[in-house]
């Protein structure tokens, strides 16, 4: 006796194959998204580390330079704006005459994989009179403060980090 086959096994196996394909495609999309997130995080972290290195270079410049030059807007040395606008928004960061490029002290500190090398500027802030910090009785000592701003771009042009510190000298 011969039994007629209906093809139910074929239909069930095709449905199972379709479900496995959908599962694999979904898994691949998730993996691709995670790789993009990881790449963006790496770019941001690279930019942050580069900006930190440039910020420390600016602070070391202030710490190690015996006599500071005039802060006249050249070579990355600025007076504060009179309008109250942020200096770091007004500076052309791509102009090498207006910013100081980060230069590592030795080859071990070189930065690789960046779209552009990090830069920094230094603003001379208004002096602050501190009556409690006097070397002579009755004479107020003026403290000089400087704002160091660094800017770095990571592995892509969208990963831009700016850092600031205020340095007392």
């Amino acid at each position: 006796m011969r039994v007629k086959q209906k093809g139910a096994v074929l239909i069930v196996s095709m449905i199972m194959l379709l479900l496995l394909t959908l599962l694999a495609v979904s898994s691949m999309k998730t993996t691709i998204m995670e790789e993009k997130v990881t790449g963006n995080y790496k770019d941001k972290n690279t930019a942050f580390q580069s900006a930190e290195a440039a910020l420390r270079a600016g602070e070391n410049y202030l710490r190690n330079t015996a006599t500071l030059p005039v802060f006249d807007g050249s070579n990355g040395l600025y007076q504060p704006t009179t309008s109250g606008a942020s200096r770091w928004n007004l500076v052309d960061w791509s102009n090498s005459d207006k910013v100081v490029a980060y230069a590592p002290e030795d080859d071990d500190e070189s930065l690789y994989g960046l779209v552009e090398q990090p830069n920094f500027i230094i603003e001379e802030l208004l002096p602050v009179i501190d009556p409690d910090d006097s070397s002579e009785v009755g004479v107020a000592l003026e403290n000089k403060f400087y704002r160091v701003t660094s800017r770095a771009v990571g592995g892509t042009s969208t990963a831009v980090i700016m850092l600031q510190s205020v340095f007392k000298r």
Side-chain angles (χ1 to χ4, degrees):
M1 176 171 181
R2 200 162 183 210
V3 178
K4 237 178 167 187
Q5 296 181 1
K6 306 280 184 186
V9 173
L10 179 62
I11 291 173
V12 169
S13 63
M14 291 299 283
I15 290 173
M16 293 298 287
L17 185 60
L18 178 65
L19 290 173
L20 288 173
T21 303
L22 290 174
L23 184 64
V25 168
S26 174
S27 177
M28 285 176 47
K29 283 184 179 181
T30 301
T31 302
I32 289 170
M33 181 62 72
E34 287 175 356
E35 285 183 8
K36 287 181 181 180
V37 168
T38 302
N40 288 340
Y41 177 76
K42 178 185 175 279
D43 282 346
K44 180 182 172 189
N45 192 32
T46 302
F48 181 82
Q49 297 298 328
S50 303
E52 185 77 20
L55 188 71
R56 297 296 165 241
E59 290 173 349
N60 286 337
Y61 175 81
L62 289 170
R63 185 178 296 113
N64 299 330
T65 304
T67 304
L68 293 174
V70 176
F71 284 68
D72 59 359
S74 62
N75 299 321
L77 305 175
Y78 293 93
Q79 292 289 323
T81 60
T82 56
S83 66
S86 303
R87 171 69 65 194
W88 56 92
N89 286 333
L90 302 174
V91 171
D92 179 9
W93 288 94
S94 62
N95 186 343
S96 61
D97 294 333
K98 299 294 181 184
V99 296
V100 180
Y102 170 73
E105 294 177 8
D106 57 29
D107 290 335
D108 293 339
E109 298 176 5
S110 295
L111 305 172
Y112 301 102
L114 302 174
V115 171
E116 56 187 74
Q117 290 299 307
N119 301 317
F120 66 89
I121 63 169
I122 301 173
E123 293 174 79
E124 182 179 36
L125 301 177
L126 298 174
V128 176
I129 298 174
D130 186 1
D132 295 332
D133 190 20
S134 176
S135 58
E136 296 180 35
V137 176
V139 178
L141 184 66
E142 245 184 30
N143 291 314
K144 290 285 213 163
F145 288 91
Y146 301 89
R147 180 173 33 227
V148 181
T149 305
S150 66
R151 179 183 181 273
V153 181
T156 61
S157 60
T158 58
V160 178
I161 298 288
M162 294 183 80
L163 298 177
Q164 285 186 331
S165 69
V166 176
F167 190 89
K168 177 181 174 184
R169 181 177 155 138

